[in-house]
Amino acid sequence: MDAMDWALLAELQADARLSYSELSRRVHLSAPAVAERVRRLEESGVITGYHARVDPSRAGRKVSALIRMSCYGVRCVLRDRQALAWPEIVEVHRVTGDTCCLLRVAATSMTAFEELIDRLAPYGQPSSMMMLSSPLPWRALAPADE
Amino acid sequence: MDAMDWALLAELQADARLSYSELSRRVHLSAPAVAERVRRLEESGVITGYHARVDPSRAGRKVSALIRMSCYGVRCVLRDRQALAWPEIVEVHRVTGDTCCLLRVAATSMTAFEELIDRLAPYGQPSSMMMLSSPLPWRALAPADE
DNA sequence: AGGGCCCAGTCCATCGCGTCCACGGTCACG
DNA sequence: CGTGACCGTGGACGCGATGGACTGGGCCCT
């Protein structure tokens, strides 16, 4: 994890489809060397994958929200594989605090969202935060120096 | 946005570095046709980008959290460009509810995280949810049919 | 201090892939 | 029934990916 690795990570976080030869030009290294470094970053688990990002609203999911779940005892969304398979749910994170887990959901419409809330309610009170704009939708991870 | 487009979206959300010829094999289309369809998906804004995903903990960010901010009046993190530039903050979303925005942060250590909380406090009470495991770190958007 | 080892990068050659172009099938419409 | 637009196919060409052989620098051991 030297400066060269971080330069490659910066490029690939910004555009995962860059070719090795283009990467090699940007970081001033030969293409095979770049390929070798990227392979190592993948194998060591630093890079977990490459993903196209899709705009939910342009893909027919007009309503996005974050839902905090405060589940009662063992009955938790986290452990219900069937609930985790619901396609509206796009992320599930276990968190600390007065809520056991946090869901990120993308529903087709407000009525579809309401119907999802009804399905979630049996697991514990869902507390919804509707997502409005995102001043910072994402940021690339940079070297954690100081 | 027909079934072929969704098949391409599914493949590219799972692995953004697939070559056009590999894509063409998987969706049973010729490579130029695939390239043309992908180009249209990009231009129409359905695909917003391709990004390598980096494991924060393996990249030296051991502490991840979601922070709900309840800002006082106009003084809000959302409007402070300097605050938005802090490298620990990796996502900022405006949401509804008793909190004006939600931050996703990745700090190097608990002490660095504590220091971030101190910097955020002037904007309004930060309410932190430390991220534990993620039963569903992400899911690809699928066609919203019924 | 010298010798040898290992890691990482470069160079080169081959093969496969991306991209452009011309062509053809299909459908809607006049 | 002819025509144009759209979308996909196939071929050709140039670039990129990939594996192997070689080289230079750092490090340890003697």
Side-chain angles (χ1 to χ4, degrees), chain B residues 18-103:
Chain B
L18 287 172
S19 67
Y20 288 138
S21 57
E22 177 59 29
L23 282 172
S24 75
R25 259 172 253 128
R26 299 194 182 191
V27 303
H28 305 109
L29 214 64
S30 69
V34 166
E36 174 64 17
R37 276 176 176 269
V38 170
R39 193 191 58 77
R40 279 204 295 266
L41 287 170
E42 291 166 355
E43 287 200 344
S44 66
V46 175
I47 294 178
T48 60
Y50 306 93
H51 308 279
R53 195 151 307 181
V54 173
D55 181 343
S57 76
R58 285 186 206 264
R61 311 290 190 96
K62 300 294 184 188
V63 177
S64 288
L66 295 162
I67 305 181
R68 297 189 295 144
M69 294 292 295
S70 32
C71 298
Y72 316 125
V74 258
R75 184 99 196 277
C76 181
V77 192
L78 288 172
R79 302 213 182 76
D80 192 328
R81 308 202 62 184
Q82 195 181 349
L84 290 182
W86 292 337
E88 296 91 347
I89 303 179
V90 295
E91 282 181 42
V92 177
H93 304 286
R94 214 177 151 194
V95 296
T96 66
D98 54 351
T99 130
C100 81
C101 62
L102 196 132
L103 316 180

Side-chain angles (χ1 to χ4, degrees), chain A residues 12-13 16-18 46 48-53 55 84 86 89-90 92-94 132-134 136 139 142, chain B residues 12-13 16-18 46 48-53 55 61 84 86 89-90 92-94 132-134 136 139:
Chain A
L12 285 173
Q13 285 181 95
R17 281 183 75 78
L18 287 172
V46 175
T48 60
Y50 306 93
H51 307 278
R53 196 152 307 184
D55 182 342
L84 289 181
W86 291 339
I89 303 180
V90 295
V92 177
H93 304 286
R94 213 178 150 189
L132 308 171
S133 62
S134 292
L136 185 73
R139 166 182 287 140
Chain B
L12 285 173
Q13 285 181 94
R17 280 183 76 79
L18 287 172
V46 175
T48 60
Y50 306 93
H51 308 279
R53 195 151 307 181
D55 181 343
R61 311 290 190 96
L84 290 182
W86 292 337
I89 303 179
V90 295
V92 177
H93 304 286
R94 214 177 151 194
L132 308 171
S133 63
S134 293
L136 186 74
R139 165 182 289 139

Side-chain angles (χ1 to χ4, degrees), chain A:
Chain A
M1 288 298 293
D2 58 2
M4 188 61 74
D5 284 327
W6 278 110
L8 291 170
L9 281 182
E11 296 292 344
L12 285 173
Q13 285 181 95
D15 184 358
R17 281 183 75 78
L18 287 172
S19 67
Y20 288 139
S21 57
E22 177 59 28
L23 282 172
S24 74
R25 258 174 253 127
R26 299 195 182 189
V27 303
H28 306 110
L29 213 64
S30 70
V34 167
E36 174 64 16
R37 275 176 177 270
V38 171
R39 194 191 58 76
R40 279 204 295 266
L41 287 170
E42 292 165 354
E43 287 201 344
S44 66
V46 175
I47 295 178
T48 60
Y50 306 93
H51 307 278
R53 196 152 307 184
V54 173
D55 182 342
S57 76
R58 285 186 207 262
R61 311 289 190 97
K62 301 293 183 189
V63 177
S64 289
L66 295 162
I67 305 181
R68 296 190 293 143
M69 295 292 295
S70 31
C71 299
Y72 316 125
V74 258
R75 184 101 196 275
C76 180
V77 191
L78 289 171
R79 302 214 180 76
D80 192 328
R81 311 201 60 184
Q82 195 182 348
L84 289 181
W86 291 339
E88 295 92 347
I89 303 180
V90 295
E91 280 183 40
V92 177
H93 304 286
R94 213 178 150 189
V95 295
T96 67
D98 55 350
T99 129
C100 81
C101 62
L102 196 133
L103 316 181
R104 185 166 179 168
V105 304
T108 57
S109 66
M110 214 58 181
T111 59
F113 178 73
E114 183 178 352
E115 192 263 346
L116 174 67
I117 295 290
D118 289 340
R119 269 182 287 153
L120 285 172
Y123 295 94
Q125 185 60 29
S127 166
S128 305
M129 300 177 274
M130 311 308 295
M131 292 184 68
L132 308 171
S133 62
S134 292
L136 185 73
W138 63 275
R139 166 182 287 140
L141 242 50
D145 51 15
E146 54 264 19

